[in-house]
Amino acid sequence: MDSRARLVQAMSDLMWERGYAATSPREVRERSGVGQGSMYHHFAGKHELALAALERNCADLLPATEALLASTGDPLARIDAYLSREHQPLKGCKVGRMTQDPLVASDPVLLAPVREAFATIHERLVSVIKEAIALGELGDGLDPDELASMITATIQGGYVLAIAAQDSRPFDEARAGARHLLRAVALCAVQDRKEQK
Amino acid sequence: MDSRARLVQAMSDLMWERGYAATSPREVRERSGVGQGSMYHHFAGKHELALAALERNCADLLPATEALLASTGDPLARIDAYLSREHQPLKGCKVGRMTQDPLVASDPVLLAPVREAFATIHERLVSVIKEAIALGELGDGLDPDELASMITATIQGGYVLAIAAQDSRPFDEARAGARHLLRAVALCAVQDRKEQK
DNA sequence: GTCTATAACCCGATAGAC
DNA sequence: GTCTATCGGGTTATAGAC
């Protein structure tokens, strides 16, 4: 790993552990083992380094989620998989948490990669939900955008509850609640179709 | 408003606007118009001031939510009301956001009021859900803890999505998704009971 | 591309007069 | 209870040699 990559890695880790404001270039330097001059050779300053770290986090996390949703097979099962993935609830989401860092949220440049990541997930999720509706797995009375936002919000909000409680249970409960609710309406949809026959 | 209250108010505002780490005692002093000496007379330091601000935020926000959920009347309508309240999604939640501030989340003292606030909401919400199940408004196949966590997570996660998108729509979509999903399973429950007759 | 040295400023906190 | 003055240290960033 070269100096540049080590700096980005250290910045990413520290922003996760301490947040943007509380992370100093000196700590980044010390953790990455890169000298002062090198750091300002590769990046104009803390801000540019943070942007690189955020872009890297998004690039790291997005593909796995996209793969999960884009895979072939039963749409509802893919949503279930999205809602069942392994996480570390008490550590928070490397991407989602950034929206709650005021210095990031108020900075259009830093927020851009986060916005794009969530927009992509939303788009994919809406597609899967539309597939499920087309296949009759879900009733057509539900709005795909609403459902997609609700599902992603459940995960992101689950982090909030888990950290507040210092217990991963609320995170798992929230996601299970969403899965079970979806399953219940899916059964309704099946039932409705039987009755119409 | 006396010096102490003005300091707490200013700290609360600044923590919301900038976060804990990025808020300096000097800014608090300047915004509140209180002198240096006064500040350190009332509070031992930034940490103690932050605790007072967090406690105040929780005390300010909790009663309205509790009142909403504790009111008499149709349980499902109360959940609907909880999911329909006015918010400022782009500004974030004064309480929930604190869980994503690493310096707050890693400090048991600062996190305590946040933990208690969410625990209280959860408790109230579980009661309302149990009422709804007892009345047959919801089927008994759903777990009240899961549902309660999902509902609060939807709201908290909605903030994340709204800030990421810099648009309040995802917040409203997520909450509407949860309401419509609940309504759909409620109709299922009614249908099931009719069939059993 | 990396190093050391240093600038200029702000941080959180304290001292002590009034 | 409030004021001004100040401390020691850390902050982000720059300068300039190698």
Side-chain angles (χ1 to χ4, degrees):
Chain A
M1 205 148 78
D2 63 358
S3 289
R4 197 196 150 88
R6 289 217 308 280
L7 284 164
V8 172
Q9 176 69 53
M11 185 65 179
S12 165
D13 290 348
L14 283 164
M15 282 182 77
W16 202 25
E17 288 170 29
R18 307 199 210 283
Y20 177 71
T23 297
S24 71
R26 191 167 65 98
E27 282 174 303
V28 175
R29 228 176 11 85
E30 279 166 4
R31 187 173 293 210
S32 62
V34 173
Q36 178 83 336
S38 296
M39 180 171 143
Y40 283 97
H41 170 75
H42 289 293
F43 300 96
K46 178 181 173 176
H47 184 264
E48 204 175 297
L49 186 47
L51 178 59
L54 284 176
E55 283 171 344
R56 212 200 80 124
N57 285 348
C58 292
D60 280 355
L61 294 181
L62 201 55
T65 305
E66 281 200 270
L68 218 90
L69 291 173
S71 69
T72 55
D74 182 43
L76 270 190
R78 274 182 275 161
I79 295 172
D80 227 74
Y82 176 58
L83 279 167
S84 305
R85 234 168 91 207
E86 275 281 326
H87 290 269
Q88 297 178 287
L90 294 181
K91 291 200 168 181
C93 170
K94 274 189 176 177
V95 176
R97 164 174 276 178
M98 294 306 144
T99 63
Q100 305 296 311
D101 190 323
L103 268 47
V104 174
S106 65
D107 184 327
V109 173
L110 293 182
L111 197 60
V114 177
R115 187 192 66 235
E116 282 164 31
F118 276 110
T120 302
I121 298 285
H122 185 79
E123 204 181 292
R124 299 287 181 278
L125 205 44
V126 167
S127 295
V128 178
I129 291 165
K130 283 182 177 166
E131 282 183 59
I133 293 173
L135 288 173
E137 287 190 333
L138 284 176
D140 60 0
L142 295 162
D143 181 80
D145 280 302
E146 288 182 3
L147 228 47
S149 288
M150 192 220 78
I151 290 167
T152 304
T154 298
I155 296 172
Q156 291 298 322
Y159 283 111
V160 172
L161 303 188
I163 293 169
Q166 287 293 292
D167 182 344
S168 62
R169 218 178 311 150
F171 182 80
D172 295 322
E173 278 176 5
R175 299 192 305 165
R179 288 201 309 272
H180 294 155
L181 217 47
L182 280 169
R183 199 173 301 164
V185 294
L187 288 173
C188 281
V190 171
Q191 224 168 343
D192 284 355
R193 275 161 62 230
K194 279 189 188 157
E195 280 167 17
Q196 283 171 8
K197 279 179 189 170
Chain B
M1 203 148 79
D2 63 0
S3 289
R4 196 194 152 90
R6 289 218 308 281
L7 285 165
V8 172
Q9 177 69 54
M11 185 66 180
S12 165
D13 291 348
L14 284 164
M15 282 182 78
W16 202 25
E17 287 170 31
R18 304 198 212 282
Y20 177 72
T23 297
S24 71
R26 189 168 63 101
E27 282 174 303
V28 175
R29 229 175 10 84
E30 279 166 6
R31 187 173 292 211
S32 62
V34 172
Q36 178 84 337
S38 295
M39 180 172 142
Y40 284 96
H41 171 75
H42 289 293
F43 299 97
K46 179 181 174 178
H47 185 264
E48 203 175 297
L49 185 47
L51 178 60
L54 285 176
E55 283 171 344
R56 212 201 81 123
N57 286 347
C58 291
D60 280 356
L61 294 181
L62 201 54
T65 305
E66 281 199 270
L68 219 90
L69 291 173
S71 71
T72 55
D74 182 43
L76 269 190
R78 274 181 274 161
I79 295 172
D80 227 74
Y82 175 57
L83 278 167
S84 304
R85 234 168 91 208
E86 276 279 328
H87 291 269
Q88 296 179 288
L90 294 180
K91 291 199 168 181
C93 170
K94 274 190 177 176
V95 177
R97 164 174 276 180
M98 294 305 145
T99 62
Q100 305 295 313
D101 190 323
L103 268 48
V104 174
S106 64
D107 184 326
V109 173
L110 293 181
L111 197 58
V114 177
R115 187 191 66 234
E116 281 165 31
F118 277 110
T120 303
I121 298 286
H122 185 80
E123 204 181 292
R124 298 287 181 279
L125 204 44
V126 166
S127 295
V128 178
I129 291 165
K130 283 182 178 166
E131 281 184 59
I133 292 173
L135 289 173
E137 288 190 334
L138 284 175
D140 58 1
L142 295 161
D143 181 82
D145 280 301
E146 288 183 3
L147 227 48
S149 288
M150 192 220 77
I151 290 167
T152 304
T154 298
I155 296 172
Q156 291 298 321
Y159 282 112
V160 171
L161 303 188
I163 292 169
Q166 286 294 292
D167 182 344
S168 63
R169 218 177 311 149
F171 182 80
D172 295 323
E173 277 176 5
R175 299 191 305 165
R179 289 201 310 272
H180 294 155
L181 217 49
L182 279 170
R183 199 173 300 163
V185 294
L187 287 174
C188 281
V190 170
Q191 224 169 340
D192 285 354
R193 275 161 62 233
K194 278 188 189 159
E195 281 169 16
Q196 283 170 8
K197 277 179 190 170

